[in-house]
Amino acid sequence: MVYRQSKEIISAGIVFAFASLLIQPAAAETKLHNSTNTAKLLLVQQNNKASVKVTGVKVNKTDKGIEIILESANPDALQPTNKSTENSFIVDIPNAVLALPEGKDFNIANPVQGIISVSVTQADNNTVKLTVKGESGLPAAELFDGEEGLIFEVVPKAATTPPPEQPEEPEQPEEPEQPRSETPPEQPIELVVTGQQDTYRIPNASTGTKTDTPIRDIPQAIQVIPKQVLQEQQVQRLSDALKNTAGVITNSSERNVFDGFNIRGFTNRTIIRNGLRDDTNTTAGSGIANIEQIEVLRGPASVLFGQGGAGGTVNIVTKKPLETPFYSVEGSIGNYNSYSGSVDFTGPLNDSKTLLYRFNASASSTDTFVDFVDIQRYFIAPALTWKIGQNTTLNLEAEYFDTQQRNDRGIPVLGTILPNPNGKIPRNRFTNEPSIDKNNRQVWRVGYNLEHRFNEDWQIQNSFRSSFQTNQQNSGAPRSLAADNRTLNRNLNTSDASVTSYILDTNLIGNFNTGNIKHKLLFGFDLSREIFEGTGQRVAVSPLDLFNPIYGSQNIGDVLAEFPNEPFTQEGLGLYLQDQISLSDNFKVVIGGRFDIVNQKYDASDDEFDSFQEDTAFSPRIGMVYQPSKLVSLYANYSRSFEQVTGTTFDTALFTPERGTQYEVGAKFDWTDKLSSTVSLYQITRSNVLTSDPRDADFSIQTGEQRSRGFEVDIVGEILPGWKIIGGYAYTDAQVTKDNDIPVGNRINNVPEHAISLWNTYEIQKGNLQGLGLGLGLFYVGEREGDLDNTFSLPSYLRTDAALFYRRNNFRAALNLQNLFDTEYFELAENRLRVFYGAPRSIKFTLGWQL
């Protein structure tokens, strides 16, 4: 990208007045004021009375500082007036209105060294305010008028070189402060957009490299789901949000407390939060109200995060405190007695803005189409940022998430997908005992992130999180279907359990050169510990007639077995090293490796059955990116993952970790600065899978193997002003390639060959209907096998979602319809006794206010 020329319609006097803004910091305030007064007399105005919309804000890094672009369809009508203070470059733009889709403001912290923050806010109903806060003094600023809007070039005081004596003499400026010519120098600059709130496209992600890196420079497929999509779709669960990524298929019902899914054909058990692994995200869920964005990394990621699934990793990025005050309140009502509300407050706690806070909270209550299954969720998330010094920042955060509901265990395949001589089982049938069944879970998460910059090139990060989960569960489950095909034999287990986890991660990030080769080095280690404890009982329960159910306490029998507390502990130590190498401006290599030591310890109530197992694993990754142009990135990678497998063989030998190996090639396209897409082709092999030992079927050996091959394409961003899109297509061929029990060639269950997701919205940009928008989503999931034996298949389906919304100033209203045409479909199957219907049509109306 290069600087744009000032428009020819602006006279030479205007150009000189604006160009002379690049002056010494002590004099910048006066000169900008004089120049903008001159400009106000000469700028061509199309309409003085109508407010001009600022539709986007972009921040680009330059060799001297930053470039700030205020996008507008009518930039000629924007008239900036300087109101700078001692350390802050401030410009008021009258007769203007911010039209950003997310909130009334735009805010970035520390875009470059020497700049503390950049904010664009609505000062009043008719004025937009731009504020650039410098660290050591007033930044120097220069203004250009471009075709896409106003362009401010800002240089921090630390980057200027004023004369050591008599800085107040403007008649003898140094060479950098000489008036610029009408045509700025065409110097290519790297586009590093750290905030772009007018589109779905998020250009940077940390999941792929554990550093803030442009996605186009990462040799692996990554898709980011922004919070704007979560709001527009009124998402309530992480699994619901992930339907926007075509290669991710849920393996957990929306009426289940767990969050689980398949990525590229393999089950994912790893959800990380702000770069730290935390399995309570899977077992207790996540509060959507505190999510800034969701990053989906496809393929193995053990090189950065330790043991995990071969298919990919999901990283939840939470909301952070902002310097600019922001307040949001939202409430919803819908069918199935659905009610929900949320608040989001943030801002500074002191005048110097070194203490910032954020508070998110939400509550929801809903029935479901399944009898007796109702769900209540309560969530709070406070956060505090302390800027200890110019180069040191401490972030503290906490979350409490409480879910109360019954277990939905699905219904048998006979009478749903396959015929049953007794007829069709109603999709609202509940197979457990409502008088006793429950699955209540609470989780506290607390942690911190401490970051210190030694200089512009080197920094250290230290992060810690502890999670405390408790769950009270009376869990009924189907055991078998009687010969009459209507009587369901059931189990009932009760438990009171807890999970406590700790993880500490420390890493050093440094930038340096070896000759003409640039390096970004990441070196770190993490420690983790997870403790599972709990007691339980097995209780007798009577069978249930699926076609004429009779519930009640009379069905609950005696205690059949007691399960004492037998703690189970997992511990891990990981050392990782990564180098992002820029061999040239358009050829980059990423090389990394990680060494893990993991162990599991089981403390049985009978000491004879105590067990301990320790394993080691090395996980490498190498990837290359070639960028023939600014619009295209071609990449290839090789990576591996591992997961510990506990137990012994017939010969009492310990099992070795399960491995995943991926080969991937692809291309990333930045069609515009607001629209991008990725195309990828991959093969993943999952090895050391347990299968029956031919010598004794009660034991296992690790000769099983599964393979997934596929092709994926995704697109995200803004096609035209107001028209945004996120979606993709995934072809997945996942099958068993070696096994002693399962026939070779069987497809992996719950993995469709074809899946398509498409969500797009259009919002009217001007006129009397400005702010009115429509959203339409199409989600297609192809035919899938219901079990690994491939004894039955779930039919394909196409679900249609829609939204109608209106936002104006501080107000927002929305009507969401999920499954618009009331399509009958199946979400997933766990086995022949557990098949789960998808929800019928649901309607939700939402009102929101923000300031």
Side-chain angles (χ1 to χ4, degrees):
M1 178 179 179
V2 296
Y3 295 132
R4 292 169 173 78
Q5 290 184 339
S6 301
K7 289 189 173 179
E8 294 179 358
I9 62 172
I10 302 178
S11 66
I14 303 174
V15 175
F16 180 83
F18 282 168
S20 65
L21 295 179
L22 190 56
I23 57 174
Q24 298 179 28
E29 178 179 348
T30 302
K31 289 205 169 185
L32 179 59
H33 181 73
N34 293 335
S35 61
T36 51
N37 284 340
T38 304
K40 289 166 67 176
L41 298 175
L42 300 174
L43 280 172
V44 178
Q45 295 298 316
Q46 300 294 329
N47 188 340
N48 290 328
K49 294 182 179 181
S51 294
V52 183
K53 289 175 58 178
V54 176
T55 57
V57 180
K58 290 192 290 185
V59 175
N60 302 333
K61 186 178 179 181
T62 70
D63 292 337
K64 296 181 180 181
I66 57 174
E67 177 190 62
I68 304 168
I69 303 176
L70 304 185
E71 295 181 330
S72 175
N74 188 15
D76 291 345
L78 299 176
Q79 306 177 42
T81 301
N82 175 55
K83 292 188 176 181
S84 296
T85 62
E86 181 179 357
N87 289 330
S88 297
F89 169 70
I90 301 174
V91 170
D92 280 351
I93 306 175
N95 200 33
V97 175
L98 268 184
L100 305 181
E102 295 185 18
K104 298 286 292 183
D105 63 84
F106 173 93
N107 191 82
I108 305 173
N110 303 312
V112 294
Q113 187 173 12
I115 299 294
I116 295 177
S117 65
V118 176
S119 66
V120 182
T121 61
Q122 190 77 46
D124 55 42
N125 291 335
N126 203 39
T127 304
V128 171
K129 182 187 293 291
L130 166 65
T131 304
V132 183
K133 186 175 181 181
E135 288 185 356
S136 58
L138 179 64
E142 186 170 6
L143 174 64
F144 296 93
D145 186 19
E147 293 181 359
E148 58 184 321
L150 294 182
I151 304 173
F152 295 85
E153 182 187 354
V154 181
V155 181
K157 184 175 182 180
T160 61
T161 56
E165 296 181 1
Q166 299 180 342
E168 71 280 358
E169 297 181 5
E171 65 274 12
Q172 295 179 350
E174 293 200 2
E175 288 185 5
E177 281 68 46
Q178 292 295 329
R180 298 181 60 145
S181 63
E182 184 174 353
T183 303
E186 295 185 354
Q187 297 177 350
I189 59 173
E190 182 181 3
L191 183 65
V192 187
V193 182
T194 54
Q196 189 167 303
Q197 301 185 0
D198 61 342
T199 178
Y200 290 172
R201 179 176 178 266
I202 306 295
N204 286 23
S206 60
T207 308
T209 60
K210 229 170 188 177
T211 64
D212 189 31
T213 303
I215 293 176
R216 72 189 306 268
D217 292 344
I218 300 173
Q220 204 159 347
I222 297 174
Q223 185 166 4
V224 181
I225 305 170
K227 66 179 178 182
Q228 184 180 348
V229 172
L230 308 184
Q231 182 188 49
E232 290 174 348
Q233 296 179 350
Q234 284 296 298
V235 166
Q236 297 297 312
R237 289 166 43 91
L238 180 63
S239 297
D240 296 336
L242 291 171
K243 71 177 182 290
N244 294 288
T245 303
V248 180
I249 304 297
T250 182
N251 61 16
S252 177
S253 166
E254 64 180 12
R255 299 170 302 283
N256 198 321
V257 71
F258 301 104
D259 264 323
F261 34 84
N262 294 331
I263 304 179
R264 288 187 168 177
F266 296 120
T267 299
N268 175 76
R269 300 183 182 90
T270 304
I271 302 175
I272 60 179
R273 179 179 296 267
N274 295 326
L276 297 180
R277 178 176 177 145
D278 186 347
D279 290 341
T280 65
N281 292 299
T282 302
T283 57
S286 303
I288 297 296
N290 194 36
I291 293 180
E292 181 70 25
Q293 63 192 46
I294 301 168
E295 301 174 354
V296 182
L297 174 66
R298 298 182 175 111
S302 289
V303 67
L304 295 176
F305 306 111
Q307 61 175 318
T313 300
V314 173
N315 181 30
I316 298 172
V317 180
T318 59
K319 296 178 180 178
K320 301 298 186 291
L322 303 177
E323 287 190 356
T324 303
F326 173 76
Y327 311 98
S328 174
V329 179
E330 187 174 273
S332 300
I333 185 172
N335 60 339
Y336 296 109
N337 294 317
S338 175
Y339 304 93
S340 63
S342 64
V343 296
D344 182 2
F345 302 150
T346 186
L349 292 173
N350 58 359
D351 293 337
S352 61
K353 297 185 178 180
T354 57
L355 282 176
L356 312 175
Y357 82 96
R358 191 151 194 170
F359 179 79
N360 278 275
S362 65
S364 65
S365 175
T366 185
D367 296 336
T368 68
F369 70 94
V370 177
D371 293 341
F372 309 111
V373 177
D374 52 8
I375 304 170
Q376 291 81 41
R377 298 187 180 103
Y378 308 95
F379 174 76
I380 59 171
L384 182 69
T385 295
W386 178 21
K387 297 181 180 181
I388 301 174
Q390 180 176 336
N391 299 314
T392 307
T393 302
L394 175 66
N395 293 296
L396 304 171
E397 59 183 12
E399 282 192 356
Y400 173 73
F401 191 42
D402 185 348
T403 301
Q404 301 176 19
Q405 65 175 87
R406 291 187 175 91
N407 293 283
D408 178 16
R409 297 298 190 185
I411 48 183
V413 65
L414 294 177
T416 53
I417 297 173
L418 301 180
N420 187 314
N422 299 286
K424 183 177 181 180
I425 304 172
R427 65 178 174 180
N428 64 320
R429 180 66 70 235
F430 183 65
T431 61
N432 300 336
E433 279 299 324
S435 63
I436 190 173
D437 192 272
K438 65 178 180 180
N439 194 346
N440 301 335
R441 292 172 182 254
Q442 304 81 36
V443 60
W444 270 105
R445 302 182 181 107
V446 294
Y448 71 82
N449 173 263
L450 178 64
E451 179 180 313
H452 176 73
R453 291 183 175 272
F454 300 105
N455 52 46
E456 191 177 49
D457 294 321
W458 290 89
Q459 69 179 60
I460 190 170
Q461 294 181 344
N462 175 249
S463 300
F464 172 80
R465 179 179 300 114
S466 182
S467 299
F468 307 92
Q469 175 188 319
T470 59
N471 53 276
Q472 308 83 41
Q473 183 172 194
N474 297 335
S475 179
R479 181 164 52 88
S480 63
L481 189 63
D484 61 5
N485 289 321
R486 63 181 301 145
T487 303
L488 185 69
N489 299 311
R490 301 179 293 173
N491 289 327
L492 177 60
N493 293 318
T494 70
S495 66
D496 192 345
S498 67
V499 180
T500 304
S501 67
Y502 308 92
I503 183 165
L504 174 73
D505 178 78
T506 302
N507 59 64
L508 180 70
I509 302 172
N511 298 284
F512 63 94
N513 295 344
T514 55
N516 295 326
I517 299 175
K518 298 179 181 179
H519 300 262
K520 176 177 281 189
L521 187 69
L522 170 73
F523 171 72
F525 70 92
D526 57 44
L527 295 164
S528 63
R529 180 181 174 87
E530 208 165 35
I531 305 166
F532 303 81
E533 296 184 276
T535 59
Q537 296 177 330
R538 179 174 297 148
V539 181
V541 60
S542 300
L544 183 74
D545 187 338
L546 292 170
F547 294 89
N548 185 27
I550 299 176
Y551 305 102
S553 58
Q554 73 278 359
N555 293 330
I556 311 301
D558 298 330
V559 174
L560 301 178
E562 296 274 356
F563 304 110
N565 184 30
E566 297 178 324
F568 176 72
T569 304
Q570 293 180 316
E571 296 177 326
L573 166 64
L575 300 169
Y576 54 90
L577 178 67
Q578 174 186 271
D579 192 5
Q580 296 172 249
I581 307 170
S582 297
L583 299 174
S584 65
D585 290 340
N586 64 345
F587 187 53
K588 302 173 175 67
V589 176
V590 177
I591 300 176
R594 177 184 173 109
F595 179 74
D596 280 278
I597 303 173
V598 295
N599 65 63
Q600 293 189 8
K601 182 181 180 182
Y602 175 68
D603 295 320
S605 55
D606 184 344
D607 292 341
E608 293 183 12
F609 293 96
D610 286 356
S611 64
F612 176 83
Q613 179 173 331
E614 183 170 273
D615 292 293
T616 61
F618 177 72
S619 304
R621 178 176 72 167
I622 182 170
M624 295 174 288
V625 179
Y626 172 64
Q627 296 163 335
S629 72
K630 292 288 186 180
L631 304 180
V632 180
S633 293
L634 307 177
Y635 73 90
N637 78 66
Y638 162 81
S639 56
R640 300 197 74 190
S641 67
F642 84 97
E643 280 194 297
Q644 188 179 31
V645 180
T646 57
T648 61
T649 66
F650 178 78
D651 301 321
T652 69
L654 294 175
F655 292 128
T656 60
E658 183 180 288
R659 303 306 304 247
T661 303
Q662 173 179 268
Y663 299 90
E664 178 182 6
V665 294
K668 302 179 182 183
F669 304 92
D670 292 329
W671 305 108
T672 68
D673 59 352
K674 296 182 180 180
L675 182 67
S676 63
S677 61
T678 300
V679 177
S680 57
L681 186 67
Y682 67 89
Q683 174 174 301
I684 304 174
T685 302
R686 183 181 171 209
S687 54
N688 294 341
V689 178
L690 292 181
T691 184
S692 294
D693 190 332
R695 297 170 296 179
D696 189 330
D698 291 333
F699 290 85
S700 297
I701 57 176
Q702 289 186 287
T703 59
E705 182 183 271
Q706 298 172 359
R707 187 208 64 215
S708 177
R709 293 174 176 168
F711 168 78
E712 296 169 338
V713 57
D714 62 58
I715 185 169
V716 61
E718 188 170 15
I719 299 177
L720 295 171
W723 182 12
K724 305 179 186 70
I725 185 172
I726 182 172
Y729 163 76
Y731 168 77
T732 310
D733 177 18
Q735 58 182 265
V736 176
T737 50
K738 293 181 182 179
D739 206 279
N740 292 329
D741 299 316
I742 305 166
V744 172
N746 272 19
R747 294 189 57 82
I748 298 176
N749 55 314
N750 286 313
V751 179
E753 271 194 303
H754 305 280
I756 300 172
S757 69
L758 178 65
W759 172 260
N760 63 147
T761 61
Y762 178 74
E763 182 177 347
I764 297 174
Q765 300 294 291
K766 58 185 177 180
N768 294 332
L769 296 179
Q770 178 184 338
L772 180 65
L774 176 68
L776 181 66
L778 300 173
F779 304 98
Y780 172 80
V781 177
E783 185 178 21
R784 298 138 288 154
E785 297 300 329
D787 56 17
L788 270 177
D789 290 325
N790 291 185
T791 61
F792 69 100
S793 299
L794 281 70
S796 63
Y797 69 87
L798 174 65
R799 194 184 94 178
T800 304
D801 293 355
L804 181 67
F805 58 87
Y806 177 75
R807 45 190 165 202
R808 195 77 167 188
N809 297 328
N810 300 333
F811 171 80
R812 183 181 187 275
L815 181 68
N816 286 80
L817 295 95
Q818 292 186 351
N819 195 3
L820 176 63
F821 300 111
D822 202 17
T823 300
E824 185 175 279
Y825 68 97
F826 297 93
E827 288 183 294
L828 70 142
E830 294 181 8
N831 50 50
R832 293 183 64 87
L833 297 177
R834 297 186 184 184
V835 175
F836 296 84
Y837 274 102
R841 181 192 299 115
S842 63
I843 303 173
K844 181 179 291 187
F845 178 68
T846 304
L847 288 177
W849 176 88
Q850 58 188 25
L851 179 65

